[in-house]
Amino acid sequence: MALRYRRILLKLSGEALMGEGSYGIDRVTLDGMAAQVARTAALGVQIGIVIGGGNIFRGVSAGAAGMDRAQADYMGMLATVINALALQDALRRSGVDCRVQSALTIEQVAEPYIRGKALRYLEEGKVVIFAAGTGNPFFTTDTAAALRGAEMAADIVLKATKVDGVYSADPKKDPHANRYRTLTFDEAIGRNLGVMDATAFALCREQKLPVCVFSIFKPGALERVVRGEDEGTLVTVS
């Protein structure tokens, strides 16, 4: 089947890297995600990735209680760099040429974020991991995904979660909850479905950048999404 999306921005949560653990990185889970990305890249899809840091930051969250918000957010950005380096290593072991660009300057371990260079890497078929969020406190990695997706002229933002889409209710609590196949941004906001944080969602709507919410743990799901198959929940302007 032909590809529907040629350039994607994949948003991975830090929590997804934990597997069944309470915090940290689960090696089996990480390698499984890298394998999905590798198979999708082999189809000819250009892939940018924004990764969260909740799995690392969660381990010190009790110590961050009461901390200055900006200081805590910078700590969270550093956690995303750790995850980005781990993912880069896993992708390279899967045979994928990969670069990490950081919104914070940490030149010993990652390149600084430069839009033109990132675009060139994507065009060359390299996977680009965008670390440290937007580089600013008070903005989530969801917002970073929307921002980088717009800057990279991505066809879609893919939000990888543990749930295979957006549901009318919590599927773990309500067995009759229905998965939405498609939604408009206005419907998602009106029903308070919490697809992404408000800033990220507003940016995607303004830029007419569709969002797909899907489960990264479902085998082959990422490949099915880029082919335009019925996978996850697609959120569009209309």
Side-chain angles (χ1 to χ4, degrees), residues 111-162:
E111 299 178 14
Y113 170 66
I114 300 174
R115 178 174 178 267
K117 186 177 284 189
L119 286 167
R120 187 174 76 247
Y121 286 152
L122 291 174
E123 290 163 359
E124 292 172 350
K126 297 179 176 68
V127 171
V128 183
I129 304 173
F130 301 104
T134 66
N136 302 285
F138 307 106
F139 290 94
T140 68
T141 48
D142 272 358
T143 300
L147 177 62
R148 297 292 181 245
E151 288 180 304
M152 295 299 107
D155 298 318
I156 190 169
V157 171
L158 305 183
K159 182 167 181 177
T161 68
K162 294 183 177 181

Side-chain angles (χ1 to χ4, degrees), residues 4-5 158 212 214 221-229 231:
R4 181 173 181 180
Y5 306 109
L158 305 183
C212 182
F214 75 106
L222 180 57
E223 295 157 84
R224 288 192 293 275
V225 170
V226 299
R227 289 189 173 111
E229 300 178 27
E231 189 66 54

Side-chain angles (χ1 to χ4, degrees), residues 16-235:
L17 300 182
M18 295 189 301
E20 298 301 321
S22 57
Y23 67 90
I25 299 171
D26 179 76
R27 180 67 172 270
V28 174
T29 300
L30 178 66
D31 288 346
M33 290 182 182
Q36 281 211 56
V37 172
R39 289 194 300 269
T40 304
L43 298 174
V45 181
Q46 298 176 8
I47 305 174
I49 301 174
V50 167
I51 193 163
N55 59 316
I56 303 295
F57 194 70
R58 180 174 295 183
V60 296
S61 58
M67 183 180 290
D68 176 78
R69 169 64 190 275
Q71 187 82 337
D73 281 357
Y74 280 117
M75 290 170 64
M77 290 179 220
L78 293 174
T80 73
V81 176
I82 294 172
N83 285 338
L85 295 175
L87 181 59
Q88 180 187 42
D89 178 74
L91 286 169
R92 285 178 171 171
R93 285 187 281 106
S94 296
V96 177
D97 198 355
C98 179
R99 298 289 187 274
V100 174
Q101 290 197 345
S102 172
L104 296 179
T105 303
I106 315 176
E107 294 187 4
Q108 288 85 348
V109 296
E111 299 178 14
Y113 170 66
I114 300 174
R115 178 174 178 267
K117 186 177 284 189
L119 286 167
R120 187 174 76 247
Y121 286 152
L122 291 174
E123 290 163 359
E124 292 172 350
K126 297 179 176 68
V127 171
V128 183
I129 304 173
F130 301 104
T134 66
N136 302 285
F138 307 106
F139 290 94
T140 68
T141 48
D142 272 358
T143 300
L147 177 62
R148 297 292 181 245
E151 288 180 304
M152 295 299 107
D155 298 318
I156 190 169
V157 171
L158 305 183
K159 182 167 181 177
T161 68
K162 294 183 177 181
V163 182
D164 64 341
V166 179
Y167 281 77
S168 56
D170 187 343
K172 293 181 179 179
K173 298 178 181 178
D174 184 355
H176 302 294
N178 296 315
R179 175 176 66 89
Y180 296 107
R181 293 181 61 186
T182 60
L183 286 166
T184 65
F185 285 103
D186 289 341
E187 287 172 337
I189 293 171
R191 297 173 190 176
N192 196 30
L193 295 174
V195 177
M196 302 175 83
D197 75 72
T199 303
F201 214 55
L203 179 56
C204 287
R205 181 171 63 172
E206 178 186 320
Q207 296 299 314
K208 297 180 173 59
L209 182 58
V211 176
C212 182
V213 181
F214 75 106
S215 172
I216 193 68
F217 295 98
K218 194 173 177 181
L222 180 57
E223 295 157 84
R224 288 192 293 275
V225 170
V226 299
R227 289 189 173 111
E229 300 178 27
D230 180 20
E231 189 66 54
T233 299
L234 181 65
V235 187

